[in-house]
Amino acid sequence: MRIPCPYCGSRDIGEFVYRGDASPVRPAADGAEAAMFAYVYLRDNPMGRHEEHWYHTQGCRNWLVVTRDTLTHEIPSARLAAPLNAGDAV
Amino acid sequence: MTRYSLFSLAAKAVSGHRGWQRAWRDAAPKAAYDVIIIGGGGHGLATAYYLAKVHGITNVALVEKGWIGGGNAGRNTTIIRSNYMLPGNEPFYEWSMKLWEGLEQELNYNAMVSQRGVLNLAHTDAQRDGYARRGNAMRLHGVEAELLDLDAVRRHAPFLNFDNARFPIKAGLLQGRGGTARHDAVNWGYARAASALGVDIIQNCAVTGFLTDAGGAITGVETSRGPIRAGKVGMSVAGHSSQVAAMADLRLPIESHALQAFVSEALKPIIPGVITFGAGHFYISQSDKGGLVFGGDIDGYNSYAQRGNMPTVEDVCEGGMALMPMIGRARLLRSWGGIMDMTMDGSPIIDHAPIPGLYLNAGWCYGGFKATPAAGWCFAHLLATDAPHETATAYRLDRFATGHLIDEKGQGAQPNLH
Amino acid sequence: MSRLASGGLIDRTRRLRFTWDGKALEGYHGDTLASALLANDVRLVARSFKYHRPRGILTAGAEEPNALVTLGSGAHADPNTPATTVPLTDGLVATSQNRWPSLRHDVMAVNQFASPIFVAGFYYKTFMWPKKAWEKLYEPLIRRAAGLGALSGLPDPDSYDREHAFCDLLVIGGGPAGLSAALAAGRAGLRVILADDGLEPGGWLLSCRDTIAGQTASNWARIAVAELGIMANVRVLPHTTIFGIYDGCEYAGVQHLGAGQPEPGQPRQRLWKIIASRALLATGAMERPIIFGGNDRPGVMMASAASSYVNHFAVAPGRRAVVFTATDSGWQTARDLIGAGVEVAAVVDPRGGGVPVDMAGIRRVRGLVRDVRGSAVRGADIATPDGKVERIDCDLVAMSGGWNPAIGLAAHLGQKPVWSEAIQSFLPGALPPGLAAIGAASGQFALGAILAQAHGAAAALAETLGAGGHAGEPSVAEDEACGVAPCWHVAGARTKAFVDFQHDVTDADVALAAREGYVSVEHMKRYTTLGMATDQGRTGQLNGHALLAAATGKTVAEAGTIRARPPAQPVAIGVLAGHHRDEAFRPARLAPSHGWATALGASFTDAGQWKRAQWYAQPHESDWLETVNREVLATRNAVGFCDVSTLGKIDVLGPDAGALLDRLYINTFSTLAVGKARYGVMLREDGMVMDDGTTTRFAEDNFFLTTTTANAARVLQHIDFARSVLWPDLDVQATSTTEHWATFSVAGPQSRALLADLLPEIDLSNAALPYMGARRFRWNGISARIYRLSFSGELAYEISVPADHGPALAQALHEAGATPYGTEALGVMRIEKGHPAGNELNGQTTAADLGFGRMMAKKKDFIGKVMAQRPGLTDPARPALVGLKPVDRAQRIRAGAHLLPVGAKPVAANDQGHVTSACFSPTLGHAIALGLLAHGPSRHGEQVVVHDPVRGADVLAEVCDPVFVDPEGVRLRG
């Protein structure tokens, strides 16, 4: 499987570290116990299209949001989780 | 049901084996049952059997979307062991081991339960002490465990790489009662025994939704072969737990991941029992047929594809060659992938769902096979009595919310690291 | 000898000697082991798996189920090698396997007499009494009988290589389709890789008598390969099997190097991982057997194999043949045999029809071969539609039941094949992305049509991919007849009829499986073991499915197929591991002082990927403990130094660096003064401790963070996640500097004096560099840093210099009189000081468990804060950090022991915790330990039992504060 890293180009998954579903958003801290529980523990775990976090640990060290199909493993797209700062442009 | 024995085999041989009946009835769904089990894997089959056998509940349907034993129950590395460290786990797996030890006589089906030992190798002092902690925990639970020193490891498996290894072997933790069992036979044995007690095993019957009453309680399932009503519905669908739970609008602390496994060509016996590498991802045993059966880490990304990719294939084989360089000339014959229901703490769930009428047996990660008898026993106990079995009290769904986690590896809420 | 006087592609000028079961034989260059054995009239080459029936050579290809041999001996022994795939080399040693005492007289052949009992699944029905006998009696017998060849038990002495490649087009298979496609694509200018699994590219062209463009087929193939060889954009990989297709258009292959044996110093095989934009499946087809009585006897052979032995290898596989065929290609075999001077007694074909004009005089029988006579073939009983049976004497039965396209690869990503009524077999349906099938793999069997189709497919791809060149014209050949009629099974056989040859699965076994309800193809496979042998069902599986379909009233299409999985052909585990074995299994990371420490005689230990000096033994020291005690006491009483460069180091830079660290750590860093360091603890989001370390502020926007050795990569990943996913609005960057700095801890009461001499340019006074202070300075003109940090509890400093200056600094410290100490002494001193390390930071502990509860800031958000409040994490009964010392000071405590109340039964209910770290403290003169104990902090002074049954007897210990030495911290501030 290969991931089209927006910064480095198409690379083997051996260069990346997987984290998981990119859709849960970390809630702001205090008084958010239920929301934090859902963020940390509950997953849709879909069969099909999945937006997920991958870290290009042996490349540019960017965190990516990769769209991948969990049944076919096809990867239609990938983007940087955080846009590059001005002046960091490739 | 014809009892299996050498005598019945010889008697049937006279007539060219024409007299054998189906091992289990090919049942069609009735309108309603006391209990429906979703999923015809080992766990589902064992649950159905123990419901009938232990609790006398025989009006049971087991619905399976394909053929029984076609998921992880028929695609695993067949290891059985009860060498766990944490108190939430150890009694359960030991109960499973005890059930394995009498399984063939219980089911009248030879599942080839073979207790040739499970050896975990340690490569650092800290790892050895970790195994000592685990071995001591096992002893406290009344389970035999032995910490082998280097010489004892050498005697047990002289072919290991002791001389020029990157991570020299220091010690090993041996559970002599661990071993392997023939996975298909386990499934078929439970199916045959359950069917004989009256359980309907319904293959090619996919669940497409749940039936509910006005209050939202679950009262049955919609299937590809029509609706089936039931007082209680238990789901035991491993890697597809999230999919089935979603039909009841339930989200679980589970991700589905692919685990690859591998088998070599048949070779004369050379590997004693099960051996696991402590400095890489590799474990191995040898089947009675002679194939080296081995595996390693999960591929590490969410998947429902029942297959994996080359980095894991190479990682596993590298581990194998690092540990036992004699296997370099053995040929890999077949590889496959199973879909693991990986939980957020690496331990399973046997509990009520937060929806009346629905019961969960899920989250077995890559360890479901060895749990088969006890998972069936404990899930049947829960379904029959609405109370957890004494060996499975820790497997609650709400433990993630309360923080009473069972995290053997200490990896936290990151399923692919367990 | 059965060697033909002329013809074939063997080189009769190069005689090769080899041995078979110790007997010296000869063959020629160009032979396979199988053809050489046949040329020497060796017909019995193996015994089957279960019944130990005599077996010969069935095929001429990699799918061979019968003729498995052990090649070579000792550590080089290669068990289970199909003789059909082995290029003959001079001095080759081949041995038969799975027989005792000899191949001809195999005792285990008595199993045949038990065959009425040994039916499919018999072992599931018996061997259950008495219960204990399974492991003691039955299983050892079964295991000994099972298996085929044997591993030597010795390390594989050969090496393996690994290669990555990228191309526009991968052509899988170098037969007519593959060569035609590669030529077209190569001429058009695509970057092409052609992988062919034969000993020489050409595939079926090397075994047939067709002509292409006026050449013999084999000549055309050799010319085509030569043309491909001179194209700069084409790479031909001979003897290379593509065995798997993986996601992202990745094709895995294994190349066999050297002619059967590796060249000296060269790898034996090479793993190819090819990323191909497009690929063409040109893997051809495999002929399938017919199920009739005795179809496994030596002398029964696939018709195509008979042609191959005659045409390619110039060997007559028999003297008098019966050809049993349901295909037109079987008639070509009859022609080939006749051409080689083999008498064809009859061509038996279930289809009606006449004899082709060029074969006038050959007898055609409309009927079926029902049984073969003889242990090796002596005759065949032919059943005709009128119910009569005729016996024909022969020593060869060449059979052809049809052709199965070799499409296993096409199923590797989960796509299902589809049934074709026209060819009575399965064809690829949907295909993996980028892959298309051509030639026989696509169901096209006529040579002329194959050449044109393959050429067209490649030319079209070249155009799609924008190759500029011209694909040229396809070569022209005639189309031979390639009809087939369904013919799976001959009813009424008097003798055993085999479906899976190697595993001895018969038609009766399939029928029994169906009767007992194992009617899914997967159940039937698993119950009978059909398709589980080394050929993975490539010869017999479809036949078995046809039988099952018939028994269950389904069509073959409805019965379905087994999903083909990688590898498409068996692959040595060694080549999949490549170079990553022995010391090269994983890279070894070496600390900057590694060479210096090695010269000093240090012993090393593994810490993750790092090698760290464990201790520095001196010649007079009798054991490691003596050494470690000396190192500890030298440090505590004078001064020692230790390479701590393996700790992770991360620079965190930017205006919001402090804000980010506040969210990463439970305590606050934004308030840290410049020039000061602070200890910090970080949690995972689930509230458990993730890591700890010190962080130093060198400027308002410049923090320098250290991590534990084990967690360095994980912490960097965590920081990157926090700054780019959680809080991308923060203006902060992070980068690893672990490898940039060599860092030495210099510890002990004399450390200041020693460093004052060594670094006269720095003021080391308490006022100038107080505890937890830090400075940048220059040492010998290079940038350096000094930190007033202490892990040992002594007055101590950490000094960092650029990594390549590490050895010089180590040398300087040593020459100045500091005692080098290793990780063991480091560990002893940290246990004496009660500092948690890896054994305590095990991912299962909270900050409170480790005594850091009060560090958790209340007023700010940080990762893990919310989840750490859950009842399960705040339960006061959780085991928490304590110190332990044996009541009898002479006794030893070991890590991994459990803690029980005094007098309690050793059962799990009384388990109150465990020992995490333990050592002998030379400072105190007795053993000490750290542990996690329920209600621990409130139990100082109590006694507990240290229970360690896997290693020894119980030890009574006293619970105490985890800080054993200098609890007030006077020394480190000194």
Side-chain angles (χ1 to χ4, degrees):
Chain A
M1 190 151 62
R2 296 176 72 77
I3 291 177
C5 174
Y7 196 88
C8 305
S10 170
R11 292 289 187 274
D12 189 87
I13 46 160
E15 295 184 7
F16 297 83
V17 168
Y18 181 74
R19 182 182 168 100
D21 194 343
S23 47
V25 175
R26 186 179 191 272
D30 292 334
E33 202 172 324
M36 187 63 84
F37 165 72
Y39 166 74
V40 175
Y41 286 106
L42 299 184
R43 295 291 178 267
D44 287 337
N45 193 21
M47 181 187 290
R49 184 188 161 93
H50 194 226
E51 294 224 316
E52 52 200 26
H53 279 131
W54 292 79
Y55 179 59
H56 200 178
T57 183
Q58 291 178 47
C60 58
R61 274 182 46 222
N62 277 302
W63 276 93
L64 311 183
V65 176
V66 176
T67 305
R68 194 179 57 94
D69 189 301
T70 59
L71 190 58
T72 66
H73 295 174
E74 279 168 307
I75 299 178
S77 67
R79 60 184 164 85
L80 297 177
L84 292 172
N85 292 330
D88 289 348
V90 185
Chain B
M1 183 173 86
T2 307
R3 198 169 160 75
Y4 289 166
S5 71
L6 184 60
F7 306 106
S8 63
L9 198 60
K12 293 280 196 298
V14 176
S15 60
H17 295 280
R18 284 190 174 75
W20 291 110
Q21 303 298 307
R22 294 183 67 98
W24 63 89
R25 290 175 295 110
D26 186 20
K30 296 190 293 189
Y33 292 88
D34 293 341
V35 178
I36 292 173
I37 313 286
I38 309 172
H43 286 208
L45 292 162
T47 303
Y49 170 73
Y50 291 119
L51 272 175
K53 176 77 191 229
V54 178
H55 303 281
I57 302 172
T58 58
N59 186 24
V60 174
L62 180 144
V63 294
E64 162 56 47
K65 74 175 173 188
W67 41 279
I68 60 165
N72 299 343
R75 304 178 198 283
N76 57 69
T77 45
T78 78
I79 295 166
I80 60 172
R81 59 184 173 90
S82 60
N83 55 0
Y84 282 75
M85 183 173 74
L86 297 179
N89 277 326
E90 184 59 12
F92 172 85
Y93 285 101
E94 178 55 17
W95 177 231
S96 208
M97 184 60 79
K98 289 210 167 74
L99 291 172
W100 281 118
E101 285 170 335
L103 190 71
E104 289 137 332
Q105 288 69 31
E106 166 91 20
L107 300 180
N108 179 231
Y109 205 104
N110 188 349
M112 304 183 181
V113 174
S114 174
Q115 295 177 287
R116 284 172 294 118
V118 172
L119 176 67
N120 303 122
L121 295 170
H123 305 263
T124 63
D125 292 348
Q127 200 171 28
R128 180 203 55 219
D129 292 343
Y131 282 136
R133 179 187 171 195
R134 194 201 288 197
N136 286 328
M138 292 164 66
R139 293 277 194 100
L140 286 168
H141 282 96
V143 180
E144 171 217 10
E146 214 182 326
L147 194 67
L148 304 187
D149 64 13
L150 187 56
D151 284 341
V153 173
R154 214 181 264 277
R155 284 194 297 277
H156 185 90
F159 49 80
L160 297 178
N161 190 353
F162 293 99
D163 300 326
N164 55 351
R166 170 69 180 80
F167 298 104
I169 297 163
K170 298 240 168 177
L173 180 68
L174 178 69
Q175 184 184 22
R177 285 162 65 233
T180 56
R182 170 93 183 105
H183 54 8
D184 290 324
V186 176
N187 303 325
W188 300 333
Y190 274 120
R192 173 168 167 270
S195 177
L197 292 173
V199 171
D200 278 358
I201 293 169
I202 306 163
Q203 299 186 98
N204 299 306
C205 181
V207 169
T208 55
F210 287 100
L211 304 172
T212 52
D213 65 14
I218 282 174
T219 57
V221 293
E222 291 278 7
T223 77
S224 56
R225 296 171 72 172
I228 313 175
R229 301 206 160 269
K232 294 175 179 180
V233 177
M235 54 173 271
S236 191
V237 296
H240 291 78
S241 294
S242 298
Q243 301 293 303
V244 175
M247 295 176 194
D249 292 327
L250 183 62
R251 293 172 87 209
L252 297 174
I254 285 176
E255 288 180 3
S256 295
H257 285 261
L259 174 68
Q260 298 191 64
F262 307 88
V263 65
S264 80
E265 295 176 353
L267 297 156
K268 290 294 176 193
I270 193 156
I271 307 276
V274 180
I275 299 175
T276 74
F277 188 24
H281 302 288
F282 179 76
Y283 55 89
I284 189 168
S285 67
Q286 187 170 16
S287 74
D288 284 342
K289 199 157 76 63
L292 308 180
V293 182
F294 58 101
D297 208 2
I298 57 176
D299 266 46
Y301 42 82
N302 286 48
S303 176
Y304 286 94
Q306 289 198 334
R307 61 188 170 78
N309 275 293
M310 276 300 281
T312 304
V313 177
E314 293 165 75
D315 184 68
V316 169
C317 291
E318 287 166 8
M321 282 300 281
L323 185 62
M324 42 181 78
M326 70 168 176
I327 64 169
R329 301 181 94 88
R331 292 189 197 87
L332 173 65
L333 181 61
R334 189 173 176 85
S335 65
W336 64 94
I339 304 306
M340 309 293 120
D341 35 339
M342 303 295 297
T343 60
M344 291 285 174
D345 66 355
S347 293
I349 299 158
I350 303 177
D351 201 356
H352 298 90
I355 302 163
L358 183 62
Y359 298 74
L360 302 176
N361 172 50
W364 290 95
C365 301
Y366 41 76
F369 177 69
K370 69 178 105 55
T372 302
W377 185 286
C378 295
F379 198 34
H381 186 95
L382 178 74
L383 281 160
T385 67
D386 276 311
H389 185 259
E390 59 181 358
T391 66
T393 53
Y395 295 156
R396 298 170 61 106
L397 178 61
D398 69 0
R399 71 174 185 269
F400 301 95
T402 64
H404 293 95
L405 303 159
I406 318 169
D407 188 350
E408 289 267 341
K409 286 195 179 171
Q411 294 290 359
Q414 181 73 38
N416 62 342
L417 299 181
H418 287 292
Chain C
M1 287 290 285
S2 299
R3 182 73 72 184
L4 303 177
S6 63
L9 303 178
I10 50 167
D11 183 351
R12 287 182 173 73
T13 66
R14 292 170 70 183
R15 296 173 86 88
L16 305 172
R17 284 170 301 182
F18 70 104
T19 66
W20 167 245
D21 274 348
K23 190 175 169 193
L25 300 173
E26 283 190 357
Y28 293 115
H29 182 80
D31 264 324
T32 61
L33 175 60
S35 69
L37 287 170
L38 285 170
N40 284 282
D41 293 327
V42 176
R43 307 185 89 191
L44 169 63
V45 293
R47 291 278 172 169
S48 66
F49 192 87
K50 184 158 77 169
Y51 298 138
H52 288 249
R53 282 170 69 99
R55 291 286 164 80
I57 293 162
L58 182 72
T59 73
E63 70 274 26
E64 174 63 35
N66 286 341
L68 305 189
V69 305
T70 297
L71 273 193
S73 60
H76 288 91
D78 247 335
N80 300 349
T81 307
T84 49
T85 63
V86 178
L88 194 69
T89 49
D90 201 45
L92 181 144
V93 174
T95 318
S96 61
Q97 49 187 40
N98 198 31
R99 80 288 182 273
W100 186 85
S102 74
L103 184 58
R104 190 153 297 281
H105 305 285
D106 179 10
V107 167
M108 291 297 280
V110 297
N111 282 0
Q112 293 181 65
F113 298 108
S115 65
I117 300 283
F118 286 3
V119 292
F122 75 98
Y123 31 75
Y124 298 131
K125 293 176 176 145
T126 181
F127 300 131
M128 288 180 273
W129 300 272
K131 188 179 153 190
K132 286 219 162 71
W134 174 250
E135 278 100 343
K136 296 255 182 304
L137 175 67
Y138 302 129
E139 193 185 39
L141 283 174
I142 290 171
R143 289 175 78 83
R144 213 169 303 155
L148 292 164
L151 283 180
S152 68
L154 302 170
D156 186 347
D158 284 321
S159 69
Y160 301 88
D161 197 13
R162 198 180 273 178
E163 188 95 54
H164 297 256
F166 296 80
C167 62
D168 300 320
L169 176 65
L170 170 67
V171 180
I172 307 168
L179 289 174
S180 179
L183 284 172
R187 287 169 185 161
L190 289 182
R191 291 181 307 151
V192 178
I193 294 176
L194 171 69
D196 180 75
D197 75 341
L199 305 182
E200 174 188 350
W204 181 243
L205 297 178
L206 307 180
S207 292
C208 71
R209 296 190 178 195
D210 297 275
T211 55
I212 301 175
Q215 305 269 353
T216 65
S218 57
N219 264 346
W220 181 87
R222 285 175 168 178
I223 293 165
V225 172
E227 182 182 341
L228 292 169
I230 56 171
M231 290 186 198
N233 55 323
V234 176
R235 178 175 217 163
V236 178
L237 298 178
H239 214 175
T240 301
T241 306
I242 300 298
F243 65 80
I245 301 184
Y246 295 90
D247 292 311
C249 299
E250 178 172 0
Y251 297 81
V254 61
Q255 183 175 20
H256 301 265
L257 302 170
Q261 289 154 4
E263 307 288 335
Q266 294 296 305
R268 175 176 174 241
Q269 297 174 2
R270 177 174 292 134
L271 178 68
W272 284 91
K273 295 195 286 178
I274 301 170
I275 308 298
S277 305
R278 302 299 170 90
L280 290 170
L281 188 69
T283 41
M286 280 169 292
E287 199 172 21
R288 64 173 174 255
I290 302 170
I291 307 163
F292 57 85
N295 61 346
D296 66 319
R297 293 298 187 185
V300 179
M301 185 178 273
M302 302 311 310
S304 57
S307 287
S308 207
Y309 288 116
V310 166
N311 296 337
H312 186 168
F313 300 104
V315 176
R319 289 178 173 77
R320 190 164 198 266
V322 165
V323 177
F324 178 21
T325 180
T327 67
D328 294 342
S329 63
W331 284 86
Q332 185 58 43
T333 294
R335 232 179 240 114
D336 294 338
L337 290 169
I338 295 163
V342 176
E343 182 187 353
V344 174
V347 178
V348 180
D349 191 328
R351 303 171 297 177
V355 174
V357 278
D358 63 320
M359 296 172 73
I362 295 299
R363 183 174 169 214
R364 175 173 188 146
V365 180
R366 183 177 184 191
L368 302 161
V369 172
R370 196 201 64 194
D371 286 283
V372 153
R373 294 286 158 188
S375 172
V377 174
R378 283 189 281 108
D381 289 349
I382 316 296
T384 48
D386 54 15
K388 292 195 177 127
V389 175
E390 179 190 351
R391 181 164 302 175
I392 298 179
D393 288 343
C394 60
D395 62 358
L396 171 69
V397 173
M399 61 180 164
S400 178
W403 288 86
N404 298 335
I407 55 171
L409 283 169
H412 282 189
L413 297 192
Q415 285 82 1
K416 287 190 174 133
V418 294
W419 176 255
S420 162
E421 199 60 30
I423 67 162
Q424 289 291 308
S425 192
F426 283 93
L427 284 172
L431 284 153
L435 184 70
I438 54 174
S442 71
Q444 180 57 262
F445 297 114
L447 183 58
I450 288 172
L451 296 172
Q453 176 220 29
H455 184 276
L461 272 180
E463 193 157 327
T464 306
L465 296 174
H470 189 258
E473 296 300 320
S475 295
V476 175
E478 282 191 28
D479 285 344
E480 64 278 61
C482 42
V484 60
C487 180
W488 311 97
H489 179 232
V490 180
R494 300 286 191 271
T495 53
K496 279 199 165 41
F498 287 84
V499 187
D500 186 305
F501 291 90
Q502 189 181 114
H503 272 179
D504 287 327
V505 180
T506 66
D507 54 353
D509 290 322
V510 176
L512 176 62
R515 198 174 303 134
E516 294 192 282
Y518 300 95
V519 290
S520 146
V521 288
E522 282 279 0
H523 282 159
M524 191 270 285
K525 169 187 170 178
R526 290 150 183 262
Y527 193 63
T528 64
T529 75
L530 193 167
M532 291 166 75
T534 57
D535 71 323
Q536 286 286 285
R538 279 178 291 163
T539 46
Q541 197 153 50
L542 188 55
N543 282 343
H545 293 178
L547 283 183
L548 181 71
T552 54
K554 290 179 177 169
T555 64
V556 187
E558 286 165 346
T561 56
I562 301 287
R563 176 165 162 185
R565 291 182 182 273
Q569 283 178 31
V571 176
I573 292 169
V575 75
L576 294 168
H579 301 290
H580 297 264
R581 55 179 288 192
D582 302 325
E583 291 92 344
F585 165 55
R586 289 290 177 261
R589 298 174 75 183
L590 305 181
S593 66
H594 189 88
W596 174 85
T598 306
L600 212 63
S603 298
F604 294 91
T605 185
D606 290 298
Q609 289 187 338
W610 291 98
K611 291 282 182 195
R612 297 189 70 180
Q614 195 171 12
W615 53 70
Y616 297 80
Q618 293 186 351
H620 59 87
E621 287 169 338
S622 57
D623 71 353
W624 66 270
L625 186 59
E626 186 183 348
T627 302
V628 171
N629 289 345
R630 172 183 53 77
E631 291 175 5
V632 169
L633 292 174
T635 304
R636 293 236 181 270
N637 298 330
V639 55
F641 75 103
C642 179
D643 189 336
V644 294
S645 314
T646 61
L647 292 182
K649 309 177 198 72
I650 299 169
D651 279 347
V652 180
L653 307 170
D656 295 324
L660 180 72
L661 295 183
D662 284 349
R663 298 179 197 189
L664 288 169
Y665 285 98
I666 63 173
N667 47 334
T668 304
F669 281 89
S670 53
T671 56
L672 183 65
V674 171
K676 293 287 248 179
R678 181 172 289 166
Y679 174 75
V681 173
M682 59 171 70
L683 307 184
R684 300 186 307 231
E685 194 69 276
D686 73 347
M688 295 293 181
V689 174
M690 177 178 184
D691 201 50
D692 71 345
T694 57
T695 294
T696 307
R697 191 170 204 168
F698 282 113
E700 275 304 310
D701 59 353
N702 180 342
F703 289 81
F704 174 75
L705 208 130
T706 64
T707 76
T708 59
T709 299
N711 287 330
R714 202 172 176 189
V715 170
L716 181 65
Q717 177 187 328
H718 183 66
I719 292 173
D720 281 340
F721 186 78
R723 67 182 185 84
S724 55
V725 177
L726 299 182
W727 299 294
D729 51 315
L730 294 183
D731 186 0
V732 55
Q733 300 292 320
T735 191
S736 168
T737 57
T738 303
E739 267 89 356
H740 301 192
W741 297 102
T743 304
F744 294 90
S745 174
V746 183
Q750 295 170 16
S751 58
R752 181 180 286 134
L754 181 138
L755 291 177
D757 282 350
L758 200 64
L759 310 170
E761 60 274 40
I762 328 176
D763 180 357
L764 296 171
S765 68
N766 254 340
L769 189 60
Y771 178 59
M772 299 304 264
R775 287 282 178 282
R776 292 191 271 206
F777 70 105
R778 297 191 81 76
W779 179 63
N780 293 343
I782 52 162
S783 78
R785 296 168 172 190
I786 187 164
Y787 311 81
R788 178 87 185 271
L789 301 172
S790 178
F791 198 48
S792 58
E794 299 298 326
L795 169 68
Y797 300 84
E798 286 185 8
I799 304 169
S800 292
V801 294
D804 52 347
H805 295 274
L809 181 54
Q811 181 70 22
L813 290 166
H814 195 215
E815 283 173 1
T819 298
Y821 65 91
T823 54
E824 208 66 34
L826 179 83
V828 169
M829 287 188 279
R830 75 98 188 163
I831 295 171
E832 288 176 338
K833 284 298 293 179
H835 292 307
N839 294 356
E840 290 78 27
L841 304 170
N842 62 3
Q844 299 163 328
T845 44
T846 66
D849 294 345
L850 301 178
F852 302 130
R854 279 179 300 178
M855 277 172 65
M856 291 170 71
K858 299 245 172 3
K859 292 198 176 143
K860 58 156 188 157
D861 182 18
F862 57 87
I863 289 176
K865 182 180 187 184
V866 176
M867 288 292 96
Q869 310 303 322
R870 287 176 291 170
L873 278 73
T874 52
D875 186 344
R878 286 182 64 89
L881 191 70
V882 294
L884 296 161
K885 35 193 177 188
V887 172
D888 173 354
R889 297 285 197 254
Q891 286 186 309
R892 181 174 172 194
I893 298 176
R894 291 183 174 94
H898 285 240
L899 301 173
L900 308 174
V902 175
K905 272 176 61 178
V907 295
N910 294 325
D911 191 2
Q912 296 192 324
H914 75 282
V915 178
T916 53
S917 304
C919 68
F920 176 79
S921 165
T923 313
L924 302 176
H926 59 79
I928 59 170
L930 300 177
L932 294 164
L933 177 67
H935 297 289
S938 62
R939 293 172 65 180
H940 293 180
E942 269 186 41
Q943 292 188 346
V944 292
V945 171
V946 177
H947 182 61
D948 192 16
V950 297
R951 284 177 299 200
D954 290 356
V955 171
L956 198 60
E958 182 193 325
V959 180
C960 60
D961 188 273
V963 186
F964 293 90
V965 170
D966 187 25
E968 295 78 25
V970 175
R971 295 190 193 180
L972 52 81
R973 290 187 173 80

